Amino acid sequence: MEVTSQALFQGRNSSRVLGGKVIGISVQNRSVHNLPKDQRVAVAFQHAPLPRNETAECVFWDADATRVHLGTWNTSGCEMVPGEARTTCLCDHLTFFAVLMVYSPDIDAAHHGYLTTITYVGCLVSALASFLTVFFFLCSRRKQRDQIVWVHMHLLCAIFLLDMSFLIAVPLAPTGGEASCKAGAVLLHFAVLACLAWMGIEGYRLYQGVIEVFTSYIKHLVLKLCLVGWGFPVIIVSLIFAIDPSHYGPAPFKVYDSPGRYTDATICWITKQEINNFLNLGLLALVLLFNGLMLAAMVREILRLKQREQSWEYVVTLLGLSCVLGIPWGVVFFSFTSGTFKLVAVYLFTIINSLQGQSVVPPLVLTQGIKQLGEGPQVGVNLPSP
């Protein structure tokens, strides 16, 4: 039976049925299911070539009716055999079959190449900018004693380490051995956690400098912050490695050459997806929430202090502060969508954050603008510029 009306199949993703066509196969007065692998039913669907960002998925209509839903599309028991203009579904039972057009869960080969190039160039520029800034600061005869400047330098060191560890972890997966790949994955994870930790510390210190008028000098504060910024990542990475060293190593991901056809690429990273989802993304969400609140408080204070003729300085300063606090990292959460929106989010995240080391350097100078906004008899803002 060929059904071209979607009135009977109103489930999730029903609008994505390829060609709006559903094929029903049945044997009168007999239930056919759990067929052996060599006796499965083959249903072929002819169609035009699919777009690069879409792939086919064989489904059947699961008619286990409830009071809420009449049924839903299900994939269990069906295997897809892809083709350029033909998709074949091999199923171990008889029912109503269809092919859904779904967005590819991963990046295709063309965009993977573009993103790789952007990442390499951005990381190299970011690493160079971070290294030169820290180098000239350390070589300067008149080092600023203000604690927040040292926090800036530690953040740039974390960004430099993140850039270099990523550039090392990518080629290690296909060419290096298992031990070297584990070491690269551990270094990369440590760099990610350190960068997040120092972004949170940066937000706290900037908040102190803008909001608190009379900030007291805390003895050995930078050393204490280092115990958090560098010690916390060491503890987390060591704990994960001690529990199971296999959590680090070659991590595969799919690169689609064409709809339904893909190759497996690898990177030296975390092999257990739950660790990345709950630990890394959870920590990122907390840091972004904290720094977002700190930035909102600073915006409120700067709005109260700024003069009308200085509005352009105010806008530039806020954009710079968002880079320092890592707010653009939040774009990563939009990459869990699908289709064109996901692709745009991935490109934005890659371009903005691969250049973070370069984009952080100007805001360190622009913080002088915040200090100027606070000049006056009523308020003093302690935010020196390196």
Side-chain angles (χ1 to χ4, degrees), residues 307-328:
Q307 302 173 8
R308 291 183 179 179
E309 60 271 15
Q310 295 175 317
S311 58
W312 67 271
E313 294 182 9
Y314 159 71
V315 173
V316 174
T317 301
L318 291 186
L319 292 175
L321 282 178
S322 66
C323 294
V324 174
L325 301 180
I327 302 301

Side-chain angles (χ1 to χ4, degrees), residues 155-176:
L155 174 59
L156 285 175
C157 287
I159 294 174
F160 174 79
L161 181 62
L162 177 60
D163 292 331
M164 296 308 299
S165 60
F166 180 81
L167 293 175
I168 293 172
V170 172
L172 271 181
T175 60

Side-chain angles (χ1 to χ4, degrees), residues 299-311:
V299 168
R300 179 183 178 185
E301 187 67 16
I302 295 172
L303 279 173
R304 188 174 66 87
L305 297 174
K306 79 177 187 71
Q307 302 173 8
R308 291 183 179 179
E309 60 271 15
Q310 295 175 317
S311 58

